[in-house]
Amino acid sequence: MGELLKTLENNKKELLIRKQMLEEDIIKYSIPGYINIKNIRGRETFYLQFKDKYYQMISVYLSKDKLALCEYAFDKKTSLEAELKTIEEDLELLKNIPVHIDSNQSDKRILDDAIGLSAKYKLLFHIKKDAQPGKYFIVFYGKKKVYEIPMIYVNERYHTRISEYICSASCMVDEAADEMLKEKQTPSGNERRSSLEAQTKTGVKYSYEELDMTYLVSFYYKKKKYTIEYEPYFINEEKRKDLEISRMGFYVEDFLKNLKFKEGVSKYNERKQTVHSKTKKS
């Protein structure tokens, strides 16, 4: 009986250690949303889609490399969660076996292979270990290039801070992107503000913001701000940007046309109801 109890205790310890490692690894592959396939001009185009904290739908264009990274993260998380479920079922059978393990006793590199998405620019990044403990480097994907920045001073004993470290990596990626944008800006005073603003053929002013391979187009109607998502027609063709801006204007006009139509229908129904009520009273 004593040997059997000892065997069960060792088995439970191993399961608890593995459970802790799985829970930590799941955090490393927890990118938001799902992969959506859209047909654009007869060609399959892939997007990572999810709702942000304001419940606004975000679409991140996925090039071949970024698509592979997303699929890897989703598959990895699914596999880890399946193994975790099995271990939790085994632990339930051993719940009456008293054991104690030291938390964070694993000496693994806690951030190696972690995948994330930066908060501001929605850039996918991949954290990889450096040769020295506590040092990593972050690979992140821009529109057409892959960039690499160092990440150091990670305390490998703080297993409970994995999500915080990934959040820090996200900030570092956005800061690097900010610096790159500053370098691209020209100090000349001839830079036109109209590069981020335009207007439709009927004179409706709107602004647009490029997010990876999509645009957010904002405009006002009756003092209320509206923001719609616009998917570019000419993918990776900078020379066609003027045509993209023109098409944005068409989408704004179309949105306002539908909005005004709904307003008209609403007013008509309201008037009809009012007339009907007056008729009944008389």
Side-chain angles (χ1 to χ4, degrees):
M1 184 67 179
E3 290 185 7
L4 176 60
L5 181 60
K6 191 171 183 179
T7 300
L8 293 174
E9 288 175 350
N10 290 334
N11 289 344
K12 187 171 182 178
K13 283 182 181 180
E14 291 176 2
L15 288 171
L16 288 171
I17 292 171
R18 181 58 184 162
K19 178 176 181 288
Q20 178 183 309
M21 293 177 66
L22 287 170
E23 290 172 339
E24 293 169 1
D25 285 341
I26 286 171
I27 296 172
K28 290 161 52 175
Y29 303 103
S30 296
I31 57 175
Y34 58 92
I35 296 173
N36 189 21
I37 305 174
K38 300 183 181 181
N39 191 304
I40 300 179
R41 305 188 304 283
R43 186 179 70 178
E44 284 189 339
T45 308
F46 298 85
Y47 292 85
L48 174 67
Q49 289 196 319
F50 60 95
K51 288 186 177 180
D52 64 11
K53 61 182 180 180
Y54 304 108
Y55 300 100
Q56 183 176 26
M57 181 61 74
I58 303 296
S59 294
V60 180
Y61 170 74
L62 298 177
S63 62
K64 186 177 180 181
D65 290 338
K66 288 186 277 189
L67 174 62
L69 189 63
C70 276
E71 289 178 332
Y72 172 71
F74 287 135
D75 290 345
K76 192 81 174 177
K77 185 180 178 183
T78 299
S79 175
L80 292 169
E81 287 177 335
E83 185 180 351
L84 178 62
K85 183 179 179 181
T86 301
I87 286 179
E88 287 175 338
E89 290 172 353
D90 290 342
L91 285 171
E92 180 64 23
L93 299 175
L94 298 173
K95 63 182 179 181
N96 294 323
I97 305 295
V99 296
H100 173 74
I101 62 167
D102 295 327
S103 61
N104 302 337
Q105 63 182 9
S106 170
D107 58 355
K108 71 173 185 178
R109 302 294 299 273
I110 60 174
L111 286 186
D112 186 34
D113 203 37
I115 297 170
L117 189 73
S118 74
K120 182 177 180 181
Y121 293 107
K122 305 298 183 287
L123 297 171
L124 276 166
F125 61 88
H126 196 180
I127 304 175
K128 299 182 180 181
K129 64 182 179 182
D130 205 335
Q132 298 182 25
K135 288 188 177 183
Y136 293 84
F137 61 94
I138 306 168
V139 177
F140 68 95
Y141 296 79
K143 288 184 181 179
K144 299 178 181 178
K145 292 184 180 180
V146 179
Y147 302 91
E148 185 178 306
I149 54 176
M151 182 179 185
I152 57 177
Y153 308 124
V154 173
N155 192 324
E156 302 285 7
R157 294 187 303 171
Y158 290 162
H159 290 237
T160 57
R161 295 186 181 177
I162 292 176
S163 60
E164 294 177 31
Y165 284 133
I166 294 175
C167 184
S168 296
S170 167
C171 294
M172 293 175 68
V173 169
D174 280 335
E175 286 173 3
D178 278 332
E179 290 300 318
M180 291 175 191
L181 287 175
K182 287 179 184 177
E183 292 173 3
K184 288 182 180 179
Q185 290 176 351
T186 58
S188 170
N190 296 325
E191 187 176 338
R192 296 184 302 168
R193 184 173 175 78
S194 60
S195 61
L196 293 176
E197 296 178 350
Q199 65 180 24
T200 69
K201 290 183 178 180
T202 60
V204 178
K205 294 182 179 180
Y206 63 91
S207 62
Y208 60 91
E209 178 185 0
E210 189 173 1
L211 297 177
D212 205 346
M213 291 301 293
T214 61
Y215 292 87
L216 289 182
V217 183
S218 301
F219 50 92
Y220 285 87
Y221 175 67
K222 292 185 177 180
K223 297 183 180 181
K224 182 178 179 181
K225 184 178 180 180
Y226 293 88
T227 300
I228 60 176
E229 185 178 359
Y230 168 76
E231 295 178 3
Y233 187 82
F234 302 102
I235 297 177
N236 293 331
E237 295 184 38
E238 292 293 331
K239 294 180 180 179
R240 302 292 185 94
K241 194 164 187 177
D242 289 341
L243 292 175
E244 291 285 17
I245 295 171
S246 179
R247 292 185 81 249
M248 285 180 208
F250 170 78
Y251 274 75
V252 171
E253 293 280 11
D254 191 54
F255 180 89
L256 290 173
K257 181 181 177 182
N258 290 330
L259 189 62
K260 290 173 183 177
F261 173 77
K262 291 177 181 177
E263 283 183 346
V265 171
S266 178
K267 288 179 180 179
Y268 171 76
N269 289 332
E270 185 178 333
R271 179 178 177 278
K272 190 175 179 182
Q273 187 175 4
T274 303
V275 172
H276 180 69
S277 298
K278 287 182 178 178
T279 305
K280 282 187 72 176
K281 286 181 181 179
S282 62

